[in-house]
Amino acid sequence: MKQRLTLATVLNYYSLNPDKNLRLNCPFHEDKTPSLQVYYKTHTAYCFSSNCKTPASARILSSKKQKLKLQKTRIL
């Protein structure tokens, strides 16, 4: 599964759409300007925000989003 999971697939699944510079608002913290840079060739992303610094592969990004979903569900 790890080999078949691409960053584009994960971003599409979570409706995360990078801008023309391949940046988007980081889904792991409040973001007023896009700070998550997407690298499609390596299937990785990196948040340049000073309060996040999340290096992410497609697999890590997917698992972190799932963990956030579970935490929000438990709160409700």
Side-chain angles (χ1 to χ4, degrees), residues 1-40:
M1 178 167 157
K2 182 179 174 181
Q3 294 171 343
R4 290 182 276 164
L5 189 63
T6 66
L7 186 60
T9 304
V10 172
L11 294 177
N12 187 41
Y13 180 81
Y14 291 108
S15 301
L16 298 171
N17 301 310
D19 64 13
K20 66 180 180 177
N21 297 314
L22 299 179
R23 287 185 234 141
L24 54 96
N25 290 355
C26 183
F28 305 114
H29 61 86
E30 291 295 317
D31 222 359
K32 293 181 183 172
T33 58
S35 63
L36 188 74
Q37 181 69 49
V38 175
Y39 303 99
Y40 285 119

Side-chain angles (χ1 to χ4, degrees), residues 13-71:
Y13 180 81
Y14 291 108
S15 301
L16 298 171
N17 301 310
D19 64 13
K20 66 180 180 177
N21 297 314
L22 299 179
R23 287 185 234 141
L24 54 96
N25 290 355
C26 183
F28 305 114
H29 61 86
E30 291 295 317
D31 222 359
K32 293 181 183 172
T33 58
S35 63
L36 188 74
Q37 181 69 49
V38 175
Y39 303 99
Y40 285 119
K41 286 185 179 181
T42 59
H43 301 287
T44 58
Y46 186 80
C47 182
F48 289 95
S49 174
S50 61
N51 62 343
C52 185
K53 298 288 186 192
T54 299
S57 66
R59 188 174 52 88
I60 292 170
L61 194 62
S62 178
S63 64
K64 285 184 89 168
K65 286 292 287 178
Q66 287 294 348
K67 196 178 290 184
L68 282 177
K69 268 187 173 179
L70 288 173
Q71 288 173 352

